[in-house]
Every structure is written in structure tokens, then in C-alpha cells.
Amino acid sequence: MERNEGLGDFLRARRAALDPQQFGIRDAAPRRVPGLRREELAALAGVSVDYYTRLEQGRPITPSEAVLDALADALQLDPAERSYLHAVARRPATSRRRTPRTVQKVRPGVHALLARLGDTPAFVLGRRTDILASNRMARALLADFGAMPLRDRNAVRWVILDEAARSLFAQDWEKAASMFVGTLRMDAARHPDDTRTAELVGELSIPVLAWVSRLQPGRETHPRPRGV
């Protein structure tokens, strides 16, 4: 049977994001790697170290719902991350069924409103913080979203992965990222079974480990931003 590399990568990434001091763990010397050790996480989840190690190695085993919930609690996952954990644990990446793509449309009146805003940059967000439309000034000052591949027209993916976005927001980058990530979390909470949302959360979990770990104590959800 094929290994579930997606599950292993996700478990290792989330374990590395945890601060041992949050769990009352004090070390006499600095740790060589960040986060909890496997045996510490296994103890928190109430599973054996050997079983948890096999999960991280992507071994072809299917954990029960109770085990996945215990791991999610131990890893302090939010609703979107919890949904992704259950999804990736159930199906190997090569056989994973995708949620049918529903075309999100912007009404003509909204397009007209964007055009009338003139020198004010504005864009329209849809499900999963997908960028559905933007006006001329947004494309000039922020990014030419319309020229991006369809998959990349997503506010969270853009602000997290695009170095140009980091440079654009400068010292306000963490605030902007927190706002968009909070919006994605709120969307995920409303649609917990959406596979595409879960996959997006899983994809972005590893690149932002250090930043997410700093936000961990107070996970925020924000009202959907109307534009920048």
C-alpha cells in the first residue's frame, strides 16, 4: 500500500509549531529542533509512541475518528486544520477525490462599482478568500491578479507565499496576513466539509510555521475584508 506522505508532513509541521512551554515542559538545554518531541505529542494524544511514529512516517494505516480528534486536540488545530487532518488521513494523495469546482461569479453591478472607485484600490473576495475581481488601481498597486493562474488568485496564498506581497505590506505584513488567514478560518468553520478549503489550509500550514506558532495563543477570526 502507498504511504500517506501528506499526513506525515502535516503532523510533523504542526508538531514543530507547538511551544513546549505551553505544556509546562522546561528543558535544561535548548532543543535541537523546534516543537514537541514525538513522545510528548503521543502522550498528549493518548496513543503509543510507536503508533504515532508510524503515522508521521506515512505508514498505510487508517486512524480512527477518536484518534484523529485526540491528535487534533493535542496539536491545537483550528476547525480548518482539523478538517484537513481528517481528510488527509482518510485518502492517499493520489486517490483523493476533489470537491467539484463551482464557478464563483461577480455580478455586473459589482464590476461597475469597482470601476467607479477610480483611484481607490479594491477587490472582491469569494469563498476561501479567492480573489474574484479587482479594479485597475488594485492591479497597479497590489498585484495583477487577473494575470495570475486561477489557482494563485487567492488572498491568503498571495499574501503568504508571494515575496512581493511581503515587501508591499512591509511592517504591516503580519497584520495583513492575520486578517486574511482569519477570514479563511471563518470560511472553513462555515464549510467544514469543503475539501478544497482543507487542502488550501494543509498546503499553507508548513510555509508559515514560525509565524503561526506566534499567533497560536490567540487564534483570531476576522470579518471578511472588503479590499485594501
Side-chain angles (χ1 to χ4, degrees):
M1 296 180 64
E2 186 176 350
R3 287 178 179 266
N4 192 336
E5 301 292 348
L7 175 61
D9 290 344
F10 184 72
L11 290 175
R12 285 191 298 273
R14 296 307 308 146
R15 178 169 61 84
L18 296 176
D19 181 0
Q21 294 188 6
Q22 287 184 268
F23 303 91
I25 300 173
R26 300 289 187 270
D27 295 300
R31 297 191 171 206
R32 292 180 296 175
V33 293
L36 295 183
R37 298 185 176 96
R38 283 176 175 172
E39 58 268 26
E40 293 166 345
L41 196 285
L44 288 172
V47 298
S48 71
V49 177
D50 177 68
Y51 184 80
Y52 178 75
T53 299
R54 284 186 285 144
L55 288 176
E56 277 204 0
Q57 292 172 341
R59 298 287 185 88
I61 55 178
T62 303
S64 67
E65 295 290 324
V67 167
L68 291 174
D69 286 338
L71 288 171
D73 291 340
L75 292 167
Q76 300 184 342
L77 303 185
D78 65 23
E81 293 164 338
R82 184 180 291 262
S83 177
Y84 177 78
L85 174 64
H86 279 262
V88 76
R90 290 287 169 243
R91 295 179 297 275
T94 54
S95 62
R96 187 177 303 153
R97 295 181 180 178
R98 296 184 62 83
T99 302
R101 180 178 292 275
T102 301
V103 177
Q104 303 180 78
K105 298 182 179 180
V106 178
R107 296 190 299 272
V110 176
H111 281 291
L113 176 60
L114 287 175
R116 287 199 299 271
L117 289 175
D119 292 338
T120 302
F123 52 81
V124 177
L125 292 185
R127 287 286 319 282
R128 312 170 199 91
T129 72
D130 287 344
I131 299 172
L132 306 183
S134 57
N135 65 0
R136 175 184 56 81
M137 191 57 66
R139 293 190 294 273
L141 296 181
L142 302 178
D144 190 355
F145 300 112
M148 295 178 178
L150 187 62
R151 177 178 178 276
D152 293 340
R153 298 176 201 172
N154 178 276
V156 174
R157 181 180 279 114
W158 169 64
V159 78
I160 296 295
L161 300 182
D162 193 327
E163 289 298 329
R166 290 177 180 253
S167 299
L168 174 69
F169 289 106
Q171 67 270 21
D172 293 326
W173 179 83
E174 287 195 359
K175 181 179 179 181
S178 178
M179 177 180 66
F180 286 122
V181 169
T183 302
L184 176 62
R185 286 190 176 124
M186 186 166 59
D187 184 82
R190 291 172 177 168
H191 306 276
D193 298 323
D194 185 76
T195 304
R196 291 177 58 206
T197 301
E199 289 175 350
L200 177 62
V201 171
E203 174 192 349
L204 297 177
S205 290
I206 297 175
V208 292
L209 277 179
W211 175 67
V212 169
S213 66
R214 291 199 297 272
L215 296 182
Q216 205 85 359
R219 292 180 181 271
E220 301 175 358
T221 55
H222 295 267
R224 172 172 294 184
R226 300 179 183 274
V228 177

